[in-house]
Amino acid sequence: MTSSASLPLPADAKPDPKIAMGWLHTAKFLTTAPELKHLPRIDVPEIAFVGRSNAGKSTCINTLTQQHRLAFASKTPGRTQSINLFSLGKQGVTDAVLADLPGYGYAAVPKEAKYRWQQVMGNYLQTRDNLQAIVLLCDPRLGLTELDEVLLDVIRPRVEEGLKFLVLLTKSDKLNKTDAAKAMQIVKLQAGGGDVKLFSSLKRQGVEEVAQHLWDWAHPKEKPVKVPKPAPESPADGESDPQASMPPAADLA
C-alpha cells in the first residue's frame, strides 16, 4: 500500500459533494485485525465507525462508498470481532482509512469476549495515533444508550484535544419529522457537544452531507495567514527627518 499524508487544501476551497462521493467510492478492503497489535501503522488520517450491534455501521459504510459488500454485515449481531480497515485514495495512493469497529452490546456474546473487546476498543480509541475522527451510529428510536455514553466518556479527552466527532442517527426513515426533530434534540443533549446528523441509507438522507464531513476531515484546509503590515521606516542614523525639521504651518504664513 502506498500512502500519502493529505496536503492542506486552499483556505478558499469550496465544498463539493461530488468530489467527496467519488473519493469514497475508491474504498478498498485493506486488512482485518483481531487485536490492536495486528493493526498496521499508517501515517494518513483514520476515521472510525463505532456503535451498538445492529446500529447500521456496515450499511452506512456501504452506502457512503457506493459499494454493496465492502463492509460485511453479519446476520448474527455481535459475531464480527475484528477491526476492519478500508483504504481511500485515487491512483493507488492511500490518503485516508476508514475503520469499522465491532458492534457492542449484544447480549448473546460471551462475557469473556465482551470484556476483551471492551479493552481492545478502549485502547484503540485512546491510543491510535492517526485517529482523526469518530462516527458514532445509533438508532434514533433508542437514543444513546448507557454503553454509548461509556464510549463517549472514553473518547472525551481526545475530543477536547481536537478529535473530530459525529453522531449519526441511522434508520431515520423510520421516524416522522416531529419524532426525528425530538430525537436530534435529545441526542445533542446526551452527547454534550459534537455534531448530530440524521442518516438514512434507504432514502439517502444525509449521505452527501456526511461524505463531505469525511472528506473535510481527511483533507483539512489551510489556515489563512495574516501578514503583518510593515512598520514605517525610520530615518537612518545621522539623517534628519525633513518632516520633523519643518516649522508648523502657521509659521510658514
Side-chain angles (χ1 to χ4, degrees):
M1 177 190 69
T2 302
S3 62
S4 174
S6 301
L7 295 175
L9 296 176
D12 58 352
K14 296 181 179 180
D16 189 340
K18 290 183 179 179
I19 292 178
M21 292 296 292
W23 170 70
L24 283 169
H25 189 53
T26 67
K28 296 179 180 179
F29 175 76
L30 178 59
T31 189
T32 184
E35 296 182 22
L36 199 59
K37 63 183 180 181
H38 295 145
L39 284 176
R41 297 181 66 86
I42 304 174
D43 60 355
V44 298
E46 192 161 295
I47 301 170
F49 286 71
V50 298
R52 289 178 58 89
S53 298
N54 274 348
K57 292 193 313 303
S58 298
T59 301
C60 177
I61 292 174
N62 289 337
T63 299
L64 289 169
T65 60
Q66 306 124 78
Q67 301 184 41
H68 295 296
R69 299 277 295 175
L70 180 68
F72 178 71
S74 174
K75 294 182 179 179
T76 304
R79 175 68 59 84
T80 304
Q81 294 290 294
S82 296
I83 297 175
N84 296 314
L85 299 185
F86 307 98
S87 63
L88 293 166
K90 296 183 178 181
Q91 299 178 344
V93 178
T94 298
D95 61 5
V97 170
L98 302 181
D100 182 12
L101 273 63
Y104 49 83
Y106 187 60
V109 176
K111 289 184 179 180
E112 295 79 7
K114 285 183 181 180
Y115 179 71
R116 182 176 70 85
W117 267 107
Q118 286 174 359
Q119 288 187 314
V120 172
M121 288 182 62
N123 289 336
Y124 170 87
L125 295 171
Q126 290 175 318
T127 65
R128 185 69 168 166
D129 291 336
N130 63 318
L131 184 61
Q132 179 76 15
I134 293 175
V135 181
L136 171 61
L137 295 90
C138 77
D139 188 327
R141 297 167 296 180
L142 302 176
L144 295 181
T145 65
E146 183 178 352
L147 289 175
D148 294 322
E149 292 180 352
V150 169
L151 183 142
L152 292 178
D153 287 338
V154 169
I155 67 173
R156 184 164 286 114
R158 294 197 67 176
V159 171
E160 292 174 351
E161 293 174 356
L163 181 72
K164 306 300 182 184
F165 176 54
L166 172 66
V167 179
L168 283 190
L169 303 183
T170 58
K171 308 175 185 179
S172 62
D173 52 276
K174 298 184 181 296
L175 300 178
N176 58 39
K177 290 184 178 180
T178 301
D179 290 338
K182 289 181 180 179
M184 287 273 288
Q185 291 179 341
I186 293 172
V187 171
K188 282 182 178 180
L189 290 174
Q190 288 180 303
D195 209 355
V196 181
K197 302 290 183 186
L198 293 171
F199 188 90
S200 170
S201 295
L202 181 63
K203 294 188 176 181
R204 299 192 62 78
Q205 181 181 15
V207 173
E208 290 190 349
E209 190 176 3
V210 174
Q212 189 65 53
H213 268 286
L214 304 184
W215 167 265
D216 291 342
W217 289 339
H219 306 85
K221 294 181 180 179
E222 291 180 333
K223 294 183 179 180
V225 178
K226 292 184 178 180
V227 180
K229 294 182 179 180
E233 295 183 2
S234 57
D237 293 342
E239 295 183 3
S240 60
D241 185 348
Q243 294 293 333
S245 61
M246 290 181 65
D251 295 341
L252 295 175

